mmCIF file of all heavy atoms in Angstrom:
data_model
loop_
_atom_site.group_PDB
_atom_site.id
_atom_site.type_symbol
_atom_site.label_atom_id
_atom_site.label_comp_id
_atom_site.label_asym_id
_atom_site.label_seq_id
_atom_site.Cartn_x
_atom_site.Cartn_y
_atom_site.Cartn_z
ATOM 1 N N MET A 945 -8.928 1.058 10.082
ATOM 2 C CA MET A 945 -10.340 1.153 9.840
ATOM 3 C C MET A 945 -10.770 2.493 9.250
ATOM 4 O O MET A 945 -11.717 2.555 8.465
ATOM 5 C CB MET A 945 -11.119 0.893 11.130
ATOM 6 C CG MET A 945 -12.638 0.989 10.954
ATOM 7 S SD MET A 945 -13.240 -0.056 9.639
ATOM 8 C CE MET A 945 -12.756 -1.680 10.225
ATOM 9 N N PRO A 946 -10.121 3.624 9.547
ATOM 10 C CA PRO A 946 -10.556 4.862 8.899
ATOM 11 C C PRO A 946 -10.265 4.917 7.418
ATOM 12 O O PRO A 946 -10.682 5.830 6.732
ATOM 13 C CB PRO A 946 -9.783 5.940 9.645
ATOM 14 C CG PRO A 946 -8.618 5.279 10.216
ATOM 15 C CD PRO A 946 -9.071 3.894 10.541
ATOM 16 N N ARG A 947 -9.554 3.929 6.880
ATOM 17 C CA ARG A 947 -9.264 3.962 5.446
ATOM 18 C C ARG A 947 -10.520 3.632 4.671
ATOM 19 O O ARG A 947 -11.333 2.800 5.053
ATOM 20 C CB ARG A 947 -8.162 2.957 5.083
ATOM 21 C CG ARG A 947 -6.834 3.351 5.712
ATOM 22 C CD ARG A 947 -5.700 2.643 5.038
ATOM 23 N NE ARG A 947 -4.422 3.010 5.658
ATOM 24 C CZ ARG A 947 -3.707 4.051 5.330
ATOM 25 N NH1 ARG A 947 -4.123 4.861 4.392
ATOM 26 N NH2 ARG A 947 -2.561 4.319 5.936
ATOM 27 N N SER A 948 -10.652 4.308 3.525
ATOM 28 C CA SER A 948 -11.835 4.068 2.687
ATOM 29 C C SER A 948 -11.698 2.785 1.918
ATOM 30 O O SER A 948 -12.661 2.239 1.424
ATOM 31 C CB SER A 948 -12.004 5.251 1.724
ATOM 32 O OG SER A 948 -10.841 5.436 0.949
ATOM 33 N N THR A 949 -10.470 2.313 1.774
ATOM 34 C CA THR A 949 -10.229 1.023 1.111
ATOM 35 C C THR A 949 -9.277 0.241 2.013
ATOM 36 O O THR A 949 -8.996 0.643 3.138
ATOM 37 C CB THR A 949 -9.558 1.211 -0.273
ATOM 38 O OG1 THR A 949 -8.337 1.949 -0.090
ATOM 39 C CG2 THR A 949 -10.479 2.003 -1.189
ATOM 40 N N ALA A 950 -8.784 -0.881 1.530
ATOM 41 C CA ALA A 950 -7.862 -1.687 2.314
ATOM 42 C C ALA A 950 -6.634 -0.848 2.694
ATOM 43 O O ALA A 950 -6.252 0.040 1.978
ATOM 44 C CB ALA A 950 -7.426 -2.930 1.555
ATOM 45 N N ARG A 951 -6.036 -1.210 3.842
ATOM 46 C CA ARG A 951 -4.852 -0.487 4.347
ATOM 47 C C ARG A 951 -3.748 -0.526 3.299
ATOM 48 O O ARG A 951 -3.320 -1.576 2.845
ATOM 49 C CB ARG A 951 -4.359 -1.151 5.640
ATOM 50 C CG ARG A 951 -3.070 -0.598 6.235
ATOM 51 C CD ARG A 951 -3.346 0.805 6.801
ATOM 52 N NE ARG A 951 -2.361 1.145 7.816
ATOM 53 C CZ ARG A 951 -1.290 1.864 7.571
ATOM 54 N NH1 ARG A 951 -0.999 2.306 6.353
ATOM 55 N NH2 ARG A 951 -0.461 2.175 8.550
ATOM 56 N N LEU A 952 -3.294 0.657 2.881
ATOM 57 C CA LEU A 952 -2.234 0.742 1.886
ATOM 58 C C LEU A 952 -0.893 0.518 2.543
ATOM 59 O O LEU A 952 -0.720 0.754 3.730
ATOM 60 C CB LEU A 952 -2.256 2.120 1.237
ATOM 61 C CG LEU A 952 -3.570 2.551 0.561
ATOM 62 C CD1 LEU A 952 -3.387 3.940 -0.009
ATOM 63 C CD2 LEU A 952 -3.930 1.569 -0.534
ATOM 64 N N HIS A 1188 2.099 13.973 5.267
ATOM 65 C CA HIS A 1188 2.044 12.619 5.779
ATOM 66 C C HIS A 1188 1.813 12.739 7.282
ATOM 67 O O HIS A 1188 2.671 13.276 8.008
ATOM 68 C CB HIS A 1188 3.333 11.847 5.469
ATOM 69 C CG HIS A 1188 3.205 10.362 5.701
ATOM 70 N ND1 HIS A 1188 2.436 9.558 4.868
ATOM 71 C CD2 HIS A 1188 3.678 9.573 6.661
ATOM 72 C CE1 HIS A 1188 2.468 8.331 5.323
ATOM 73 N NE2 HIS A 1188 3.218 8.292 6.404
ATOM 74 N N PHE A 1214 -1.071 5.505 13.680
ATOM 75 C CA PHE A 1214 -1.572 5.273 12.320
ATOM 76 C C PHE A 1214 -1.095 6.418 11.433
ATOM 77 O O PHE A 1214 -1.144 7.596 11.842
ATOM 78 C CB PHE A 1214 -3.108 5.257 12.380
ATOM 79 C CG PHE A 1214 -3.801 5.048 11.078
ATOM 80 C CD1 PHE A 1214 -3.981 3.807 10.515
ATOM 81 C CD2 PHE A 1214 -4.322 6.167 10.381
ATOM 82 C CE1 PHE A 1214 -4.641 3.649 9.315
ATOM 83 C CE2 PHE A 1214 -4.993 6.004 9.192
ATOM 84 C CZ PHE A 1214 -5.154 4.740 8.657
ATOM 85 N N ASP A 1215 -0.610 6.109 10.237
ATOM 86 C CA ASP A 1215 -0.101 7.175 9.370
ATOM 87 C C ASP A 1215 -0.717 7.072 7.983
ATOM 88 O O ASP A 1215 -1.046 5.979 7.517
ATOM 89 C CB ASP A 1215 1.423 7.134 9.286
ATOM 90 C CG ASP A 1215 1.942 5.837 8.697
ATOM 91 O OD1 ASP A 1215 1.874 4.795 9.376
ATOM 92 O OD2 ASP A 1215 2.401 5.854 7.520
ATOM 93 N N PHE A 1216 -0.873 8.225 7.347
ATOM 94 C CA PHE A 1216 -1.531 8.298 6.032
ATOM 95 C C PHE A 1216 -1.213 9.634 5.391
ATOM 96 O O PHE A 1216 -0.751 10.578 6.073
ATOM 97 C CB PHE A 1216 -3.042 8.112 6.152
ATOM 98 C CG PHE A 1216 -3.728 9.200 6.921
ATOM 99 C CD1 PHE A 1216 -4.374 10.248 6.279
ATOM 100 C CD2 PHE A 1216 -3.722 9.215 8.324
ATOM 101 C CE1 PHE A 1216 -4.981 11.266 6.984
ATOM 102 C CE2 PHE A 1216 -4.329 10.234 9.035
ATOM 103 C CZ PHE A 1216 -4.976 11.255 8.360
ATOM 104 N N ASP A 1217 -1.465 9.725 4.095
ATOM 105 C CA ASP A 1217 -1.260 10.954 3.343
ATOM 106 C C ASP A 1217 -2.572 11.743 3.336
ATOM 107 O O ASP A 1217 -3.560 11.270 2.766
ATOM 108 C CB ASP A 1217 -0.818 10.699 1.908
ATOM 109 C CG ASP A 1217 0.588 10.087 1.850
ATOM 110 O OD1 ASP A 1217 1.426 10.512 2.635
ATOM 111 O OD2 ASP A 1217 0.832 9.208 1.013
ATOM 112 N N LEU A 1218 -2.579 12.899 3.932
ATOM 113 C CA LEU A 1218 -3.787 13.692 4.064
ATOM 114 C C LEU A 1218 -4.208 14.232 2.678
ATOM 115 O O LEU A 1218 -3.409 14.856 1.983
ATOM 116 C CB LEU A 1218 -3.565 14.876 5.027
ATOM 117 C CG LEU A 1218 -4.776 15.703 5.364
ATOM 118 C CD1 LEU A 1218 -5.844 14.876 6.070
ATOM 119 C CD2 LEU A 1218 -4.364 16.905 6.238
ATOM 120 N N GLY A 1219 -5.448 13.973 2.318
ATOM 121 C CA GLY A 1219 -5.960 14.401 1.029
ATOM 122 C C GLY A 1219 -5.666 13.469 -0.106
ATOM 123 O O GLY A 1219 -5.967 13.787 -1.252
ATOM 124 N N GLY A 1220 -5.061 12.331 0.217
ATOM 125 C CA GLY A 1220 -4.635 11.414 -0.852
ATOM 126 C C GLY A 1220 -5.693 10.377 -1.216
ATOM 127 O O GLY A 1220 -5.469 9.567 -2.109
ATOM 128 N N GLY A 1221 -6.822 10.367 -0.542
ATOM 129 C CA GLY A 1221 -7.888 9.425 -0.894
ATOM 130 C C GLY A 1221 -7.742 8.060 -0.260
ATOM 131 O O GLY A 1221 -8.523 7.154 -0.580
ATOM 132 N N SER A 1222 -6.790 7.870 0.631
ATOM 133 C CA SER A 1222 -6.593 6.541 1.240
ATOM 134 C C SER A 1222 -7.382 6.388 2.539
ATOM 135 O O SER A 1222 -7.409 5.306 3.114
ATOM 136 C CB SER A 1222 -5.100 6.309 1.509
ATOM 137 O OG SER A 1222 -4.579 7.232 2.419
ATOM 138 N N VAL A 1223 -7.991 7.482 3.023
ATOM 139 C CA VAL A 1223 -8.836 7.413 4.204
ATOM 140 C C VAL A 1223 -10.203 8.006 3.871
ATOM 141 O O VAL A 1223 -10.398 8.599 2.811
ATOM 142 C CB VAL A 1223 -8.207 8.178 5.394
ATOM 143 C CG1 VAL A 1223 -6.944 7.500 5.848
ATOM 144 C CG2 VAL A 1223 -7.936 9.633 5.029
ATOM 145 N N ILE A 1224 -11.156 7.847 4.765
ATOM 146 C CA ILE A 1224 -12.506 8.361 4.504
ATOM 147 C C ILE A 1224 -12.475 9.886 4.391
ATOM 148 O O ILE A 1224 -11.606 10.576 4.893
ATOM 149 C CB ILE A 1224 -13.492 7.924 5.621
ATOM 150 C CG1 ILE A 1224 -13.038 8.430 6.986
ATOM 151 C CG2 ILE A 1224 -13.675 6.402 5.609
ATOM 152 C CD1 ILE A 1224 -14.038 8.175 8.103
ATOM 153 N N LYS A 1225 -13.498 10.402 3.699
ATOM 154 C CA LYS A 1225 -13.576 11.860 3.439
ATOM 155 C C LYS A 1225 -13.580 12.661 4.739
ATOM 156 O O LYS A 1225 -13.031 13.755 4.824
ATOM 157 C CB LYS A 1225 -14.819 12.148 2.623
ATOM 158 C CG LYS A 1225 -14.963 13.601 2.206
ATOM 159 C CD LYS A 1225 -16.223 13.771 1.350
ATOM 160 C CE LYS A 1225 -16.423 15.229 0.939
ATOM 161 N NZ LYS A 1225 -17.659 15.382 0.118
ATOM 162 N N TRP A 1227 -11.941 12.240 7.324
ATOM 163 C CA TRP A 1227 -10.546 12.481 7.747
ATOM 164 C C TRP A 1227 -9.815 13.316 6.683
ATOM 165 O O TRP A 1227 -9.121 14.252 6.995
ATOM 166 C CB TRP A 1227 -9.839 11.160 7.926
ATOM 167 C CG TRP A 1227 -10.150 10.436 9.185
ATOM 168 C CD1 TRP A 1227 -11.353 10.334 9.819
ATOM 169 C CD2 TRP A 1227 -9.225 9.697 9.996
ATOM 170 N NE1 TRP A 1227 -11.245 9.587 10.967
ATOM 171 C CE2 TRP A 1227 -9.955 9.178 11.097
ATOM 172 C CE3 TRP A 1227 -7.875 9.421 9.899
ATOM 173 C CZ2 TRP A 1227 -9.348 8.394 12.080
ATOM 174 C CZ3 TRP A 1227 -7.282 8.637 10.883
ATOM 175 C CH2 TRP A 1227 -8.003 8.158 11.956
ATOM 176 N N ASP A 1228 -9.957 12.890 5.431
ATOM 177 C CA ASP A 1228 -9.171 13.509 4.347
ATOM 178 C C ASP A 1228 -9.415 15.014 4.273
ATOM 179 O O ASP A 1228 -8.517 15.796 4.016
ATOM 180 C CB ASP A 1228 -9.553 12.860 3.012
ATOM 181 C CG ASP A 1228 -8.371 12.220 2.326
ATOM 182 O OD1 ASP A 1228 -7.238 12.287 2.847
ATOM 183 O OD2 ASP A 1228 -8.581 11.634 1.250
#
Side-chain angles (χ1 to χ4, degrees):
M945 180 54 60
R947 294 198 182 273
S948 56
T949 58
R951 176 70 157 97
L952 303 179
H1188 192 71
F1214 178 82
D1215 61 288
F1216 64 99
D1217 292 323
L1218 186 62
S1222 62
V1223 294
I1224 59 174
K1225 184 178 179 181
W1227 282 39
D1228 240 359

